[in-house]
Amino acid sequence: MSQLLFNGLVTGLLVALPALALSLTFSVLRFANFAIGAMLTAGAYLIWLFNTGLGWSMPLAVAGGALASAALAVLADVLVFRPLRGRSGVTLLVASMGLAFVLENTVRLFAGGSSRGYDVAAARPMRWAGLRINQEQLLTLGVTLLALLAVWLILRHTRLGRAMRAVADNPALAAVRGISSTRVVAATWGLAGVLTALAGLLIGLDMGVDPLMGWNYILPVFAAAILGGIGRPLAAVPGALLLGVASEMSTLWLPPHYRAVVAFAVMALCLLFRPAGLFGSPWVTR
Amino acid sequence: MTTYLISLLILVCIAAIAALALNLQWGMTGLVNFGLFSFYMLGAYGCALLVKAGWNPWLALGLSMAATALLSALVSLISVRLSEDYLAIVTLGFAESLKLVVIHEDSWTRGSLGIADIPRPVQGDGAFLLVVALALLAVFLLWQHLTRSPIGRSARALRDDALVAATAGKPVLWLRIRLFSLGGAAIGLAGGLHAFYYQYIDPTQFGTIITAYAFMAVIIGGRGSHVGVLLSAFTVVLLLEGTRYLDDAISWLSSAQLAALRLILVGVALILVLIYRPQGMLRPYQLRADQAARRSVSGRSSAI
């Protein structure tokens, strides 16, 4: 039982990173980015490329991959979303689906469809207080907590974070106050790129890297962001933790391959009874 | 060559039915259906299972269409009162969940083994092409009729601004559910025809590519224009499906790579058309001012 709780919290933290990225882009740009899963895949493969392809050590490969992923996200914004700015959310949503096809299949075209692994030594799981803890779980715990702390610091205590929150709150007013929305948008995409690459790394360490890895996480990521209250970036974190625990606990009654169904059920219930999310304000309903 | 052409045409007709269905749901009514393939899969499995249980193929097709329509209504109920983004993720979530159920509940669906030897309602590929083409024609004519009828006008009104439509006294929720489930029935029809055509179905046949083709056909054809969607289905999908037969010609790419390349092209085309030609090839039907004036003049003269 406590093992399930612990696994759930770790899975939740893992989902929290892309959910945070999704919420960030949603709150600043006002559209649901369906390319979030493909961005995660691309980030994981970039790190894999630096690590196995170029033989860099893992920390260096992660840093390089995260930067490259951020650059890719900004590039995607310039090429795809900037020309569409001001169009309806649905248009952007469909365009993000197109971007997802492009990213995911570019990976498949060059790296093939089979699963790959990072060049890391396998380690035996540890035992602590009756829990079985994998090396990857510890790493997940450390990396996600650090990343979340960093995002929180950026949002709360830097000029950039203030600018992002201002644009999210009221773009017109932010523009009047001289905040450059171009820079804020680019920073948002860059941040989203780093977060998704880190999530890709952690998922890849746990289960290997394959072209569908991001796609499989789309549903939990959206469910976590909606549960927290989409448009409130940091609320995605408790949403993700709740979802992680719920889907681990569900394995007591359901076969484990139905975790995605649990995510869907949680999302559906949330939309039916509390569409603004647990912590959100109901501005999205109409 | 003729058999190749017939099979290609059957595939394109089926894809065109799915595209028309999406055009009703998204193009006309503004309801994004990212889970299109799962309703298609539902139609296919419903048909296959009923026929294998000894039902008449036509009856099976009708029943699975009704089931798809009903399920579409239920799925749309989760989020029709929210903004469009939510329906997109709900349909996608439903699609992934349904696919998991089909893969894992193998006592009903035989899982990844698939269902083989599905009997067709008619014998021979030529006759089947006729059936598929007639189905496409029926959907097309019905849609054209709907577009010009009051429900079509209401659909466009609530796509453009649901608040205004509601203020004008349109039952927004009820209209959305009806139109979404009607589109669902057409997707079920396409899925059922798919099962009859291949006579063998397994979960790997149903994936995002089906949804992608439908979206591409609608976006390139022009959202809301049924003629445009037909045209684009018969050009773009024909071209893309045609590349399946290039596998032998292009030896330096494996067929998996070619499939990936096809999806990259779909993605790039989606984005480019959205950026540079958002209205698509053809303009959707709308009542133009001069037409309306002429109608009202003739109406008045006949009244006098």
Side-chain angles (χ1 to χ4, degrees):
Chain A
M1 190 71 183
S2 56
Q3 179 74 52
L4 282 181
L5 194 65
F6 175 75
N7 288 353
L9 285 176
V10 174
T11 324
L13 275 175
L14 202 62
V15 171
L17 293 182
L20 184 57
L22 177 72
S23 261
L24 269 178
T25 45
F26 186 88
S27 59
V28 172
L29 298 158
R30 291 281 182 269
F31 83 96
N33 178 17
F34 276 80
I36 198 89
M39 283 168 65
L40 192 152
T41 310
Y45 269 92
L46 283 169
I47 295 173
W48 174 77
L49 180 72
F50 288 132
N51 174 233
T52 349
L54 302 180
W56 295 6
S57 70
M58 208 54 201
L60 201 61
V62 171
L67 280 181
S69 166
L72 187 68
V74 174
L75 184 73
D77 175 51
V78 171
L79 289 181
V80 178
F81 299 113
R82 188 168 298 168
L84 290 171
R85 204 142 293 158
R87 302 270 280 280
S88 77
V90 179
T91 304
L92 287 155
L93 177 96
V94 175
S96 74
M97 199 55 140
L99 177 66
F101 291 150
V102 174
L103 287 178
E104 192 187 302
N105 288 287
T106 309
V107 165
R108 198 170 279 140
L109 183 64
F110 290 109
S114 53
S115 181
R116 315 274 182 158
Y118 291 114
D119 184 13
V120 286
R124 289 166 63 89
M126 294 176 289
R127 296 200 166 271
W128 179 74
L131 292 176
R132 192 168 175 275
I133 302 174
N134 291 329
Q135 207 86 43
E136 291 88 43
Q137 288 183 313
L138 275 189
L139 194 71
T140 304
L141 221 55
V143 171
T144 47
L145 287 178
L146 272 180
L148 293 178
L149 184 69
V151 172
W152 182 77
L153 284 176
I154 290 174
L155 281 180
R156 286 286 144 187
H157 295 287
T158 63
R159 285 177 65 88
L160 175 67
R162 264 206 308 281
M164 279 166 80
R165 283 186 290 141
V167 172
D169 216 34
N170 188 334
L173 198 58
V176 169
R177 297 293 294 170
I179 293 170
S180 151
S181 82
T182 320
R183 274 190 15 220
V184 168
V185 168
T188 309
W189 281 108
L191 205 54
V194 172
L195 289 174
T196 45
L198 286 180
L201 164 79
L202 296 170
I203 294 170
L205 281 175
D206 195 22
M207 299 192 293
V209 192
D210 71 273
L212 271 177
M213 59 190 287
W215 184 256
N216 292 336
Y217 269 85
I218 275 208
L219 202 49
V221 167
F222 267 88
I226 289 174
L227 193 60
I230 197 160
R232 300 198 111 207
L234 288 168
V237 179
L241 290 179
L242 265 175
L243 185 75
V245 172
S247 62
E248 279 304 322
M249 289 296 174
S250 75
T251 55
L252 289 174
W253 303 280
L254 279 174
H257 46 245
Y258 280 145
R259 273 191 206 145
V261 182
V262 175
F264 176 62
V266 168
M267 184 170 72
L269 287 177
C270 177
L271 287 177
L272 279 174
F273 297 110
R274 209 177 148 74
L278 296 176
F279 311 100
S281 45
W283 66 270
V284 274
T285 49
R286 63 176 176 197
Chain B
M1 188 64 201
T2 329
T3 44
Y4 161 72
L5 209 63
I6 287 177
S7 75
L8 194 61
L9 277 177
I10 291 175
L11 289 180
V12 172
C13 282
I14 293 176
I17 295 176
L20 280 178
L22 183 69
N23 199 31
L24 181 74
Q25 292 181 330
W26 179 51
M28 276 176 64
T29 322
L31 301 167
V32 188
N33 185 358
F34 273 167
L36 189 143
F37 82 84
S38 67
F39 298 105
Y40 187 93
M41 178 168 71
L42 196 75
Y45 268 91
C47 240
L49 289 174
L50 284 176
V51 172
K52 291 295 272 186
W55 290 57
N56 175 296
W58 299 109
L59 201 59
L61 188 62
L63 261 180
S64 54
M65 278 168 69
T68 322
L70 185 68
L71 214 66
S72 298
L74 288 179
V75 170
S76 71
L77 258 182
I78 297 177
S79 65
V80 273
R81 46 197 192 99
L82 305 172
S83 71
E84 295 91 342
D85 313 16
Y86 288 92
L87 187 63
I89 183 63
V90 164
T91 48
L92 187 68
F94 172 76
E96 295 298 318
S97 305
L98 189 70
K99 189 159 183 185
L100 283 177
V101 170
V102 167
I103 292 174
H104 292 293
E105 294 304 312
D106 39 15
S107 56
W108 306 342
T109 63
R110 295 174 46 82
S112 49
L113 287 175
I115 302 173
D117 302 325
I118 303 163
R120 278 187 197 167
V122 291
Q123 298 305 316
D125 275 5
F128 192 68
L129 175 61
L130 193 67
V131 169
V132 174
L134 282 178
L136 175 61
L137 187 71
V139 172
F140 175 74
L141 291 178
L142 180 62
W143 271 207
Q144 287 290 58
H145 175 71
L146 277 179
T147 307
R148 283 160 173 74
S149 68
I151 193 172
R153 278 197 295 280
S154 311
R156 288 191 297 277
L158 62 95
R159 173 195 64 194
D160 294 339
D161 196 326
L163 192 62
V164 172
T167 316
K170 303 289 175 205
V172 172
L173 263 180
W174 176 228
L175 274 170
R176 279 204 177 123
I177 292 171
R178 268 196 299 174
L179 288 158
F180 193 77
S181 62
L182 188 61
I187 300 171
L189 172 67
L193 291 173
H194 172 110
F196 284 141
Y197 173 59
Y198 284 100
Q199 301 187 289
Y200 166 80
I201 51 172
D202 70 46
T204 58
Q205 295 173 355
F206 307 99
T208 335
I209 183 91
I210 294 172
T211 317
Y213 275 176
F215 267 90
M216 203 179 55
V218 171
I219 289 174
I220 294 180
R223 255 192 283 169
S225 160
H226 305 309
V227 182
V229 170
L230 265 191
L231 275 179
S232 71
F234 272 86
T235 49
V236 185
V237 179
L238 199 69
L239 278 177
L240 280 170
E241 282 296 314
T243 59
R244 269 183 210 282
Y245 303 91
L246 285 181
D247 285 13
D248 311 324
I250 305 176
S251 50
W252 42 276
L253 280 175
S254 69
S255 65
Q257 280 177 315
L258 212 57
L261 203 60
R262 204 176 293 128
L263 266 171
I264 294 177
L265 280 181
V266 172
V268 171
L270 274 184
I271 294 167
L272 287 181
V273 176
L274 280 177
I275 293 176
Y276 294 108
R277 204 170 161 77
Q279 73 277 36
M281 289 200 295
L282 288 191
R283 206 165 49 144
Y285 169 81
Q286 55 191 173
L287 195 59
R288 283 189 300 278
D290 52 335
Q291 267 181 7
R294 219 176 307 135
R295 275 191 205 177
S296 68
V297 166
S298 59
R300 214 174 298 145
S301 56
S302 64
I304 298 166

